[in-house]
Amino acid sequence: MLKNLSSGTKISITRSIKTSFEQYMASIQWQEDKFDIQDFISSWRTYINEHASWYKNLSDETKNDDEFHQELALKINETMEKILSEEPTSEQIDMLENLQKQSGTDYDYSCKLEAKYLIERLDENK
């Protein structure tokens, strides 16, 4: 079912997963031990119901289809895996080293999105 959607809709789905994941991880301050997949799914559902035009454009039949939900679950897992495996850029690493030197902190980070979060957080506290 997911493969039958327009490419624009599929891109929007991926973007909504990434945006929701970023917001959720920021809400738990990227503390992996606080991650709860059910909480994330709940926040993603709220996000798509309130902000995602692609979801509003789906038929009720599609929204209620078990196969569609299984494919969405796979898409969520794939997207999260991709986000978590994306290495921080050299610019992010340099920026974080400088910000941590200035603030006297030593945060561990493992992916580009987490680095972005830390940069924003440390930049706010300057």
Side-chain angles (χ1 to χ4, degrees):
M1 293 201 84
L2 196 57
K3 65 183 176 249
N4 296 333
L5 298 174
S6 72
S7 63
T9 300
K10 289 187 267 192
I11 289 168
S12 293
I13 290 170
T14 302
R15 191 176 305 122
S16 70
I17 296 166
K18 183 177 179 183
T19 300
S20 295
F21 185 72
E22 183 175 10
Q23 290 172 353
Y24 175 76
M25 292 305 290
S27 76
I28 62 169
Q29 300 178 330
W30 276 87
Q31 294 178 17
E32 292 153 19
D33 59 326
K34 290 186 177 181
F35 181 82
D36 182 303
I37 190 68
Q38 295 306 319
D39 287 345
F40 167 66
I41 297 296
S42 177
S43 68
W44 181 67
R45 280 192 185 126
T46 300
Y47 178 86
I48 64 173
N49 281 308
E50 294 176 2
H51 303 289
S53 60
W54 67 264
Y55 190 71
K56 294 173 185 137
N57 294 332
L58 291 180
S59 69
D60 287 340
E61 180 183 343
T62 301
K63 288 178 185 176
N64 295 320
D65 189 281
D66 287 339
E67 180 183 346
F68 179 69
H69 286 278
Q70 289 172 351
E71 291 174 1
L72 272 178
L74 287 173
K75 185 67 174 169
I76 289 168
N77 287 336
E78 289 170 6
T79 303
M80 287 173 39
E81 195 172 303
K82 183 178 178 188
I83 290 167
L84 294 172
S85 65
E86 194 171 8
E87 302 264 331
T89 66
S90 57
E91 292 167 341
Q92 286 179 312
I93 293 169
D94 291 344
M95 188 176 274
L96 275 168
E97 284 178 12
N98 288 332
L99 287 168
Q100 290 193 90
K101 235 182 248 180
Q102 292 171 17
S103 64
T105 57
D106 186 27
Y107 293 110
D108 290 325
Y109 54 95
S110 59
C111 69
K112 187 176 182 176
L113 202 58
E114 184 177 16
K116 178 185 174 206
Y117 165 77
L118 286 172
I119 289 167
E120 290 170 357
R121 184 174 170 194
L122 290 169
D123 218 20
E124 281 177 357
N125 294 329
K126 277 206 263 180

